Structures are given as C-alpha cells and as structure tokens.
Amino acid sequence: MDVANGLLTVRASGAAAAKAALNGSSGPPEHIQLLLGCTVPRGLPNSGAALRFPDCSLHVAPAGAALLTVAEAKLTIGFAELKPLMFQPVPVDAALRSVFSGAIAHVLAAAHVLDPHGLSHHLLGLAELVLRSALRAELDRVDALAARRRDAVDYMRAHLSDPNLGADVIAKALHISRRRLYQLFDDGQGVSERIRGLRVDRAKALLSDPAKAGRGIGEIAKDCGFVSAAHFSRTFRQVVGRTPSEFRGR
C-alpha cells in the first residue's frame, strides 16, 4: 500500500466532488481527505477506531492507515492551492509522519477525556500542518525538477550540432543517471523526441533567415546535428509537412 511506503494521498469527497467529477467542473469540494500511514496504538479494536465531529472525522484502520477528513471551508489553505497534492501519492518526510502518528496515537488514547470541540480544532490543525508541510515539499521538488529539466534543455541546445547527442551524453554531462534524465522528461515527450524537435526548430530558423539563403541544405543539416541531408529531409518533412527546400521557398 502507498501508506505503508510513507506516501500521502489527498482527495476530495462529498456530493460536490462527485458532481464535479461527472460534469468536469472545478468547484471546491465539501471535504478534503488525507490518507496517511500511522503507528497503530495498542488495544485498537479489529474494526479500527473512528471519531466524528461536525467539521472533521478520523478513521484509523488496524493495518496502520489513518483517514482524516476535514471540511474544505475550515482550512486556511484554498482548494486551488492544494491541487499539486490531489489524487496522487506524495512522499512525506519521516519527521512529519512521526508527528502525525504521534498525534493520532495521543488522540485515540485520550479521546474519552478530551473536549469534543477542542479535539475537532486539534484535528483540523493537524490536517493543516500535514497539508502545508507536504505542499511545500512537493512544490520544492517540482521546482528542482523544473530547474534540472531547464539545464538538460540548455545543454541540448548548446550541442545540437553534435550528431552523437543523446541520453547517455546528456546524463553524463549533468552528472545524473540515464534513468533520472528520463524522469525529467516524463511528460509524454522523451529525450530523443525533444532533441529532434529542437533540431527541427533550429533548422526552421536557419531556413527562414535571408542571411543564410546561400547555405546549402547539407550545411544546415550538419549544423543541426543530422547525420545526412537525406535524414534531415525525411525528419523535417515528417515534422513540418514540407521538405526543407519547400519550406525555404515558401
């Protein structure tokens, strides 16, 4: 299970969320649910434990998973801001998991003597803490990926004329693994396709430049890293829909 691997899943719930899923609308849901692994307190019944309040609820399963549901309107962080976390397993730092587990264990152990109103506020605060901490970590991770992706694309652009430019060369230059490089471009356009697109874009710029009108197709192909003029023409036509000569003439 994802929760066993220290992953947080955040999802929307309630009638509004179901309606939004059916008609494609993007309005805020009634509730936000947080599913995260936790240490199960001793003496927990086989059926688990549940606490319910007007604005939140807590369900803890014997397998070691806690489902904390809170009213979206009670959170100080908006639904739109939470979208980077929604409906996908998100890694959670071990320290945050420890804080969450400890809080859940203490709540279950002392719930019978705690004021329900105060306990409700405590669980809302716990949800805020987890969401804000996970969101900050996720945004930092995404920013780091974006920066690394920019480094890779910059390297591609600077070395497009090298016909041997490929994943192995780029990964070595950036001091990352080939697998890590592919993870940077997991948006549907792989490394090879990105290189090809950049080469075609450079070729289009050269073919469109009046100052380069005297340069032959073979020279432009070489400048863009194609192994031959024939390969260049085939690739260019496949991507643009015209041969390099037809594109230049137009």
Side-chain angles (χ1 to χ4, degrees), residues 10-24:
V10 182
R11 59 197 186 196
S13 69
K19 183 178 179 181
L22 288 173
N23 60 26

Side-chain angles (χ1 to χ4, degrees), residues 20-39:
L22 288 173
N23 60 26
S25 63
S26 57
E30 296 168 358
H31 298 91
I32 299 294
Q33 292 184 325
L34 296 76
L35 179 63
L36 184 62
C38 68
T39 302

